[in-house]
Amino acid sequence: MSNKMWGGRFDSGPDAIMEDINASIEFDKALWRQDIAGSRAHVAMLAKQGIIEAKDAATISKGLENIATEIESGQFTFSRALEDIHMNIESRLAETIGAAAGRLHTARSRNDQVATDMRLWVRDTLDLLDGQAAALQSALAEKALAFAGAVMPGFTHLQSAQPVTFGHHLLAYVEMLGRDRGRIADARKRMNENPLGAAALAGTSFPIDRFMTAAALGFDRPTANSLDSVSDRDFALEALAAASISAMHLSRFAEEIVIWTTPQFGLVALSDKFTTGSSIMPQKRNPDAAELVRAKSGRIIGALTGLLIVMKGLPLTYAKDMQEDKEGTFDALQSLSLCLAAMTGMVKDMTPDLKAMKKAAGSGYATATDLADWLVKNLKMPFRDAHHVTGRIVGLAEARKVGLEKLSLAELQSVEPRITDAIFDVLGVEKSVRSRVSYGGTAPVNVRAQARRWLAKLKREARKNPS
């Protein structure tokens, strides 16, 4: 039998394979809240404009409200034969209220309907992600404040470079998350236009008020071009791009947690809450939460790549290819949400080993740059000459198998006779970090100020936008 939604053109139903490839209800049922919200805004506008009678609009709106209750309570039966969330809801509406349901689709198409639903879903999810990113920032800033003076090794090329503080290291991720949230806010602002009313592709001859539906759904304005309205998926791509960068940041942090928790580093410990054991090795404590955050970045970045490839060859306007925007977008943004929650939990849970951090901070002659800087400041030596002298002193320390601070004054003077015992004031790791007072540097006084600044900013945001 023909599909009752467009049966006038078709004499028979689809082949089973066609139904398999065409149906999207398994995943687009996630849009039910947005679909019902869009339909209720649309029917209210139709009544106000005199396009349908007020009594029909009231009946439709009440019917949609009842369907929302059914879905929320798990009593709604989704049908694959009806393809998608739009037809499932409209069919159920017809069952419950009768002929009036047929007026709901006046002056709209599934093309503008799904574009509206997707924008609403992405917008709602971006708001959730922003709140979660802020929560992770708060957790990081709180821990940074608590460990503003805890010395640890700073790395380049994963080799000991210069001492930093644990608080300073954590605040680097607060900055990254701040940029992530900026991209989320920017994507949300740009996508906040309403496609509803663009109909299939050309607009409609009915005297609709698109500004009314835009306002009802929390959009800033209606979209300005009907062709672009139904064919645009930039909003999803931008959201996925922002999510991909954020996932990359989380993956980098997860990788550091994996490294820090190994016995070979032993800088940080996670409790049973965020680790697992081995089925064969009883001593193992595996940082599986961090590893999974690291891995999930791949599926998030993959969703962005997948949708770019779907869209790259499509002429205007809508094509069924665009049905492939949903699964990847849903999965990626929900995966990022899970990763943010997991990282927040791990940050709150992690315990730094301060002794191990301090010991590691002094390894690899990490205060060599401090020595070179001292030569420049106190002996007025050109930095390149100071670099050369320091390299010779490091070689001497390596030959003696001691740290720089363990060399005697006589040994230092054998390389550069003008060195005085004041040099020892800069060779300790704690003295090193205290000296890094330039703006953005690792000095504990800086770290405390930056942590407090972020915490105050986040609290202001929370008061301004309570969840």
Side-chain angles (χ1 to χ4, degrees):
M1 60 181 289
S2 63
N3 188 306
K4 63 183 178 181
M5 293 297 173
W6 57 72
R9 174 64 179 85
F10 288 77
D11 295 324
S12 62
D15 185 90
I17 297 299
M18 179 61 191
E19 184 174 302
D20 286 342
I21 197 170
N22 196 46
S24 60
I25 189 60
E26 285 86 355
F27 50 86
D28 70 17
K29 63 185 178 184
L31 297 172
W32 70 264
R33 287 185 178 86
Q34 292 76 20
D35 196 72
I36 288 175
S39 290
R40 295 187 73 185
H42 182 67
V43 77
M45 179 275 297
L46 293 177
K48 180 177 178 294
Q49 295 299 104
I51 298 170
I52 67 173
E53 293 184 8
K55 65 176 183 178
D56 285 339
T59 301
I60 292 169
S61 186
K62 181 62 177 175
L64 290 168
E65 185 180 342
N66 292 337
I67 290 171
T69 300
E70 287 182 5
I71 298 175
E72 189 80 63
S73 64
Q75 296 176 350
F76 188 93
T77 301
F78 294 99
S79 169
R80 242 171 130 255
L82 292 169
E83 294 186 13
D84 57 33
I85 187 62
H86 323 298
M87 287 190 167
N88 268 265
I89 288 174
E90 188 173 335
S91 177
R92 178 59 179 156
L93 187 65
E95 289 176 1
T96 56
I97 70 169
R103 302 191 186 282
L104 172 59
H105 210 55
T106 306
R108 76 173 184 185
S109 161
R110 282 196 298 175
N111 293 354
D112 61 337
Q113 190 177 355
V114 70
T116 303
D117 291 357
M118 275 294 287
R119 283 188 190 235
L120 289 171
W121 189 93
V122 171
R123 189 183 70 184
D124 292 344
T125 306
L126 289 183
D127 290 343
L128 170 67
L129 293 173
D130 180 70
Q132 289 185 292
L136 178 52
Q137 284 183 300
S138 292
L140 287 163
E142 291 281 6
K143 188 137 286 188
L145 185 59
F147 295 99
V151 181
M152 69 173 289
F155 300 98
T156 61
H157 308 277
L158 203 55
Q159 306 296 313
S160 292
Q162 291 178 272
V164 297
T165 70
F166 186 49
H168 192 56
H169 196 112
L170 296 178
L171 286 178
Y173 287 100
V174 177
E175 296 290 334
M176 292 182 213
L177 286 159
R179 295 193 296 274
D180 293 338
R181 293 181 64 204
R183 279 181 281 270
I184 287 171
D186 192 45
R188 189 195 192 284
K189 181 178 180 181
R190 193 165 15 255
M191 66 159 283
N192 204 35
E193 296 182 345
N194 183 24
L196 192 60
L201 75 160
T204 179
S205 59
F206 288 97
I208 63 173
D209 183 350
R210 295 188 63 210
F211 289 89
M212 178 181 171
T213 52
L217 294 170
F219 289 110
D220 295 330
R221 64 192 69 83
T223 51
N225 183 285
S226 62
L227 300 175
D228 181 56
S229 299
V230 299
S231 66
D232 168 48
R233 291 300 182 270
D234 289 0
F235 64 90
L237 289 167
E238 282 198 73
L240 290 172
S244 294
I245 296 172
S246 186
M248 175 269 293
H249 289 153
L250 299 183
S251 181
R252 294 181 71 180
F253 191 20
E255 169 68 3
E256 294 198 301
I257 292 173
V258 170
I259 292 171
W260 291 346
T261 55
T262 62
Q264 290 76 13
F265 275 74
L267 303 184
V268 162
L270 291 171
S271 76
D272 296 352
K273 294 178 181 179
F274 291 96
T275 57
T276 65
S278 165
S279 64
I280 190 172
M281 295 168 283
Q283 83 282 6
K284 293 290 294 297
R285 182 187 291 276
N286 300 320
D288 283 5
E291 291 173 7
L292 288 166
V293 168
R294 185 177 60 185
K296 285 182 185 297
S297 63
R299 68 197 297 167
I300 295 168
I301 295 166
L304 170 61
T305 304
L307 185 54
L308 282 169
I309 293 170
V310 166
M311 297 301 297
K312 72 173 182 60
L314 298 186
L316 295 180
T317 54
Y318 181 82
K320 196 69 172 184
D321 310 51
M322 292 163 69
Q323 183 168 288
E324 292 297 311
D325 64 347
K326 295 172 190 63
E327 287 180 282
T329 301
F330 294 162
D331 181 76
L333 298 188
Q334 289 165 346
S335 292
L336 180 60
S337 175
L338 180 58
C339 289
L340 286 165
M343 292 303 295
T344 302
M346 281 187 281
V347 168
K348 291 179 179 180
D349 182 70
M350 66 171 59
T351 303
D353 185 328
L354 301 184
K355 288 183 180 179
M357 281 186 170
K358 185 176 179 179
K359 182 179 179 181
S363 67
Y365 307 101
T367 57
T369 304
D370 298 277
L371 193 158
D373 289 347
W374 187 92
L375 296 174
V376 172
K377 291 175 184 176
N378 292 274
L379 303 184
K380 309 305 178 187
M381 190 180 291
F383 182 79
R384 286 301 171 201
D385 293 344
H387 188 284
H388 179 73
V389 169
T390 300
R392 291 177 59 198
I393 292 172
V394 168
L396 179 62
E398 280 185 320
R400 291 225 24 235
K401 294 182 170 45
V402 297
L404 294 175
E405 72 282 1
K406 297 297 184 181
L407 292 172
S408 69
L409 180 60
E411 287 172 318
L412 293 168
Q413 289 176 335
S414 71
V415 178
E416 172 48 64
R418 293 179 292 165
I419 291 176
T420 69
D421 59 5
I423 190 73
F424 294 104
D425 290 339
V426 302
L427 293 183
V429 291
E430 290 177 331
K431 294 173 182 176
S432 174
V433 297
R434 283 200 300 268
S435 73
R436 305 294 173 181
V437 293
S438 59
Y439 184 79
T442 192
V445 64
N446 288 8
V447 174
R448 292 186 185 95
Q450 290 289 357
R452 290 187 179 114
R453 177 183 69 84
W454 270 111
L455 288 169
K457 181 177 186 292
L458 291 163
K459 286 177 183 176
R460 287 194 303 271
E461 289 177 357
R463 286 195 297 267
K464 184 178 178 182
N465 302 302
S467 56

